Amino acid sequence: RGRVNSPEWGHGPGLIGVNVSAPTDRHSRVGQKRRSEMAERNKYIRWFEDLGSDDVPQVGGKNASLGEMIRSLKKEGVRVPDGFATTAVAYREYIAANGIEDAIRDNLEAMKTGKATLYETGAAIRRLFLNGEFPEHIAEAIRNAYRELARRSGQTDVSVAVRSSAT
C-alpha cells in the first residue's frame, strides 16, 4: 500500500491526471501489454488536456472544467499549466481499501441528527482520509503521473496544487 502524502503529493486522495501514449504496435505482445498497462493507468489518472465536460462523472466538475479551459486556451496560444486528475475509480478504491465508507456515513448521519456539528463532522472525515493509504497500484499511477508532469515541465521537482473536485 502506498502513501502519497509527501511534500510532492499533498495529503489524501485529491481528485488531482495521466494518459501517456504507448506505441501502437498492434501485432506485438509488447504492444498489447503496453496498451493493457495504459488502460489500467487511465482507470486512475487522466491528463487535463484529455478532459472535457463529458468527463465530470469520472473526474469531477473542477477537473473537467480545467480540461475544457486548457483545450480552448492552448489553441489560442495562451500558456496554461499542465496537470492531471485522479479518477472517481481511484477515489472509490481508496475508500474501499481503507474501509472508511461506513465511518463516513456514520459521521454524516450524526451531523444530520444533530449529534455532531458540521465542523466536527468535517474534521472526523478529513482524519479518515489523512490516516488512510492509497493501494500501491494507485499510488504508483500517481507517482508515474507526477514524474511525467515533471518531465513535461522540464523540472525535477515540479510544484503542484492539489484540489478536491467533488461535484
Side-chain angles (χ1 to χ4, degrees), residues 15-122:
L15 286 173
I16 53 175
V18 170
N19 187 6
V20 180
S21 60
T24 57
D25 180 0
R26 296 180 183 184
H27 302 291
S28 77
R29 289 179 193 204
V30 172
Q32 288 173 340
K33 182 179 179 191
R34 285 186 183 143
R35 281 190 304 282
S36 174
E37 289 170 354
M38 212 172 84
E40 186 66 19
R41 273 195 305 267
N42 290 341
K43 182 175 166 181
Y44 304 117
I45 304 291
R46 300 276 310 276
W47 285 104
F48 289 153
E49 67 200 32
D50 297 326
L51 298 176
S53 59
D54 292 341
D55 296 304
V56 170
Q58 290 81 35
V59 296
K62 286 181 197 169
N63 287 322
S65 294
L66 281 168
E68 290 280 341
M69 182 179 71
I70 286 169
R71 289 168 45 182
S72 298
L73 293 178
K74 278 192 176 179
K75 291 177 189 174
E76 302 296 322
V78 177
R79 289 181 41 171
V80 181
D82 209 353
F84 60 90
T86 58
T87 65
V89 171
Y91 170 81
R92 286 189 293 272
E93 287 190 26
Y94 177 92
I95 297 287
N98 288 283
I100 61 176
E101 185 172 357
D102 289 341
I104 291 170
R105 287 182 204 271
D106 292 347
N107 278 284
L108 291 172
E109 185 60 31
M111 183 186 70
K112 287 178 189 174
T113 59
K115 295 176 185 169
T117 66
L118 175 61
Y119 177 82
E120 292 165 336
T121 302

